[in-house]
Coordinates of all heavy atoms in Angstrom, one line a residue:
A175 N -17.6 10.0 0.9 CA -18.5 9.8 2.0 C -17.7 9.1 3.1 O -16.7 8.5 2.8 CB -19.7 9.0 1.6
Q176 N -18.1 9.3 4.4 CA -17.4 8.7 5.4 C -18.4 7.8 6.3 O -19.5 8.2 6.5 CB -16.9 9.9 6.4 CG -16.0 9.4 7.5 CD -15.6 10.5 8.3 OE1 -16.2 11.5 8.5 NE2 -14.5 10.3 9.1
A177 N -17.9 6.7 6.7 CA -18.6 5.9 7.6 C -17.8 5.8 8.9 O -16.5 5.9 8.9 CB -18.6 4.4 7.1
E178 N -18.5 5.9 10.1 CA -17.7 6.0 11.3 C -17.9 4.8 12.3 O -17.0 4.5 13.1 CB -18.2 7.3 12.1 CG -17.7 8.5 11.4 CD -18.0 9.7 12.3 OE1 -18.6 9.7 13.3 OE2 -17.3 10.8 12.1
S179 N -19.0 4.2 12.2 CA -19.3 3.0 13.1 C -18.9 1.7 12.5 O -18.9 1.5 11.3 CB -20.8 2.9 13.5 OG -21.5 2.5 12.4
H180 N -18.5 0.8 13.5 CA -18.1 -0.6 13.1 C -19.2 -1.3 12.3 O -19.0 -2.1 11.4 CB -17.7 -1.4 14.2 CG -17.0 -2.7 13.8 ND1 -15.8 -2.8 13.2 CD2 -17.6 -4.0 13.9 CE1 -15.6 -4.1 13.0 NE2 -16.6 -4.8 13.5
A181 N -20.5 -1.1 12.8 CA -21.7 -1.7 12.2 C -21.8 -1.3 10.7 O -22.4 -2.1 10.0 CB -23.0 -1.3 13.0
E182 N -21.4 -0.2 10.3 CA -21.5 0.2 9.0 C -20.6 -0.6 8.0 O -20.9 -0.7 6.8 CB -21.2 1.7 8.8 CG -22.3 2.7 9.4 CD -21.9 4.1 9.4 OE1 -20.7 4.3 9.9 OE2 -22.6 4.9 9.0
I183 N -19.6 -1.3 8.6 CA -18.8 -2.1 7.8 C -19.6 -3.2 7.2 O -19.5 -3.6 6.0 CB -17.6 -2.6 8.5 CG1 -16.5 -1.4 8.9 CG2 -16.7 -3.6 7.7 CD1 -15.5 -1.9 9.8
D184 N -20.3 -3.9 8.1 CA -21.2 -4.9 7.6 C -22.2 -4.6 6.6 O -22.6 -5.4 5.7 CB -21.9 -5.6 8.8 CG -20.9 -6.4 9.8 OD1 -19.8 -6.8 9.2 OD2 -21.2 -6.5 11.0
E185 N -22.8 -3.4 6.7 CA -23.7 -2.8 5.8 C -22.9 -2.7 4.5 O -23.4 -3.0 3.3 CB -24.3 -1.5 6.2 CG -25.1 -1.5 7.4 CD -25.7 -0.1 7.6 OE1 -26.4 0.5 6.7 OE2 -25.6 0.4 8.7
L186 N -21.7 -2.2 4.5 CA -20.9 -1.9 3.2 C -20.6 -3.2 2.5 O -20.8 -3.3 1.3 CB -19.6 -1.2 3.7 CG -18.6 -0.9 2.6 CD1 -19.2 -0.1 1.4 CD2 -17.4 -0.3 3.1
L187 N -20.4 -4.2 3.2 CA -20.1 -5.5 2.6 C -21.2 -6.1 1.8 O -21.1 -6.9 0.8 CB -19.7 -6.5 3.6 CG -18.5 -6.2 4.6 CD1 -18.3 -7.4 5.5 CD2 -17.3 -6.0 3.6
K188 N -22.5 -5.6 2.1 CA -23.6 -6.1 1.3 C -23.9 -5.3 0.0 O -24.9 -5.5 -0.6 CB -24.8 -6.1 2.2 CG -24.7 -7.1 3.4 CD -25.9 -7.0 4.4 CE -25.6 -7.8 5.6 NZ -26.7 -7.6 6.7
C189 N -23.2 -4.2 -0.1 CA -23.5 -3.2 -1.3 C -22.8 -3.6 -2.5 O -22.3 -2.7 -3.2 CB -23.1 -1.9 -0.8 SG -24.0 -1.2 0.5
D190 N -23.0 -4.9 -2.9 CA -22.2 -5.2 -4.2 C -22.9 -4.7 -5.5 O -22.3 -4.8 -6.5 CB -22.2 -6.9 -4.3 CG -23.5 -7.5 -4.1 OD1 -24.0 -7.5 -2.9 OD2 -24.1 -7.9 -5.0
K191 N -24.1 -4.3 -5.3 CA -24.7 -3.6 -6.6 C -24.2 -2.2 -6.9 O -24.2 -1.7 -8.0 CB -26.2 -3.4 -6.3 CG -27.1 -4.8 -6.4 CD -28.5 -4.6 -6.1 CE -29.2 -3.6 -7.1 NZ -30.7 -3.4 -6.7
Y192 N -23.6 -1.6 -5.8 CA -23.1 -0.2 -5.9 C -21.7 0.1 -5.7 O -21.1 1.0 -6.3 CB -23.9 0.7 -4.9 CG -25.5 0.5 -5.0 CD1 -26.2 -0.1 -3.9 CD2 -26.1 0.7 -6.3 CE1 -27.5 -0.2 -3.9 CE2 -27.5 0.5 -6.3 CZ -28.2 0.0 -5.2 OH -29.5 -0.2 -5.2
V193 N -20.9 -0.8 -5.1 CA -19.7 -0.6 -4.7 C -18.8 -1.6 -5.6 O -19.0 -2.8 -5.7 CB -19.3 -0.9 -3.2 CG1 -17.8 -0.7 -2.9 CG2 -20.1 0.1 -2.4
D194 N -17.8 -1.1 -6.3 CA -17.0 -1.8 -7.2 C -15.8 -2.5 -6.8 O -15.3 -3.5 -7.3 CB -16.6 -0.9 -8.4 CG -17.8 -0.2 -9.1 OD1 -18.5 -1.0 -9.8 OD2 -18.0 1.0 -9.0
L195 N -15.3 -1.9 -5.6 CA -14.0 -2.5 -5.1 C -13.9 -2.1 -3.6 O -14.3 -1.1 -3.2 CB -12.8 -2.0 -5.8 CG -11.4 -2.4 -5.4 CD1 -11.2 -3.9 -5.7 CD2 -10.3 -1.5 -6.0
L196 N -13.4 -3.1 -2.9 CA -13.1 -2.8 -1.4 C -11.6 -3.0 -1.2 O -10.9 -3.9 -1.7 CB -13.8 -3.9 -0.5 CG -15.3 -3.7 -0.3 CD1 -15.8 -4.9 0.5 CD2 -15.8 -2.4 0.4
I197 N -11.1 -2.1 -0.4 CA -9.7 -2.1 -0.1 C -9.5 -2.1 1.4 O -9.6 -0.9 2.1 CB -8.8 -1.0 -0.7 CG1 -9.0 -1.0 -2.2 CG2 -7.3 -1.1 -0.3 CD1 -8.3 0.2 -3.0
P198 N -9.4 -3.3 2.1 CA -9.2 -3.2 3.5 C -7.8 -3.2 3.9 O -6.9 -3.8 3.3 CB -9.9 -4.6 3.9 CG -9.7 -5.5 2.7 CD -9.6 -4.5 1.6
R199 N -7.5 -2.5 5.0 CA -6.1 -2.5 5.5 C -6.2 -2.7 7.1 O -6.9 -2.0 7.7 CB -5.4 -1.1 5.3 CG -5.2 -0.7 3.9 CD -5.1 0.7 3.5 NE -4.2 1.5 4.3 CZ -3.4 2.5 4.1 NH1 -3.4 2.9 2.8 NH2 -2.6 3.0 4.9
G200 N -5.6 -3.7 7.4 CA -5.5 -4.2 8.9 C -5.0 -5.5 9.1 O -4.2 -6.0 8.2
S201 N -5.4 -6.1 10.1 CA -4.9 -7.5 10.5 C -5.3 -8.6 9.5 O -6.2 -8.3 8.7 CB -5.3 -7.9 11.9 OG -6.7 -8.2 11.8
N202 N -4.5 -9.7 9.5 CA -4.8 -10.7 8.7 C -6.3 -11.3 8.8 O -7.1 -11.5 7.9 CB -3.8 -11.9 9.0 CG -4.0 -13.1 8.0 OD1 -5.0 -13.7 7.9 ND2 -2.9 -13.4 7.2
A203 N -6.7 -11.4 10.2 CA -8.0 -11.8 10.6 C -9.2 -10.9 9.9 O -10.2 -11.3 9.4 CB -8.1 -11.9 12.0
F204 N -8.9 -9.6 10.1 CA -9.8 -8.6 9.6 C -10.0 -8.6 8.1 O -11.1 -8.7 7.6 CB -9.4 -7.2 10.0 CG -10.2 -6.1 9.4 CD1 -11.5 -5.9 9.9 CD2 -9.7 -5.2 8.4 CE1 -12.3 -4.8 9.4 CE2 -10.6 -4.3 7.9 CZ -11.8 -4.1 8.3
V205 N -8.9 -8.8 7.3 CA -8.9 -8.8 5.9 C -9.6 -10.0 5.5 O -10.4 -10.1 4.5 CB -7.6 -8.7 5.3 CG1 -7.6 -8.9 3.8 CG2 -6.9 -7.3 5.6
R206 N -9.4 -11.2 6.1 CA -10.0 -12.4 5.8 C -11.5 -12.3 6.1 O -12.3 -12.9 5.3 CB -9.3 -13.5 6.6 CG -10.0 -14.9 6.4 CD -10.0 -15.3 5.0 NE -8.7 -15.2 4.3 CZ -8.6 -15.4 3.0 NH1 -9.6 -15.5 2.2 NH2 -7.2 -15.4 2.5
H207 N -11.9 -11.6 7.2 CA -13.2 -11.4 7.4 C -14.0 -10.8 6.3 O -15.1 -11.1 5.9 CB -13.5 -10.8 8.7 CG -14.9 -10.3 9.0 ND1 -15.8 -11.1 9.5 CD2 -15.4 -9.1 8.8 CE1 -17.1 -10.5 9.6 NE2 -16.9 -9.3 9.2
I208 N -13.3 -9.7 5.7 CA -13.9 -8.9 4.6 C -14.0 -9.9 3.4 O -15.1 -9.8 2.8 CB -13.0 -7.7 4.3 CG1 -12.9 -6.8 5.5 CG2 -13.5 -7.0 3.2 CD1 -14.3 -6.1 5.9
M209 N -13.0 -10.5 3.2 CA -13.1 -11.4 1.9 C -14.1 -12.5 2.0 O -14.7 -12.8 1.0 CB -11.6 -12.1 1.8 CG -10.6 -11.1 1.3 SD -9.0 -11.9 1.1 CE -7.9 -10.6 0.6

Side-chain angles (χ1 to χ4, degrees):
Q176 183 183 28
E178 291 192 344
S179 73
H180 186 76
E182 290 175 310
I183 295 177
D184 291 332
E185 291 184 58
L186 175 59
L187 300 184
K188 299 174 184 177
C189 294
D190 51 285
K191 287 177 61 177
Y192 310 117
V193 177
D194 299 290
L195 178 69
L196 287 176
I197 304 177
R199 294 166 41 153
S201 68
N202 187 299
F204 173 71
V205 175
R206 178 52 56 191
H207 170 79
I208 298 297
M209 291 178 173

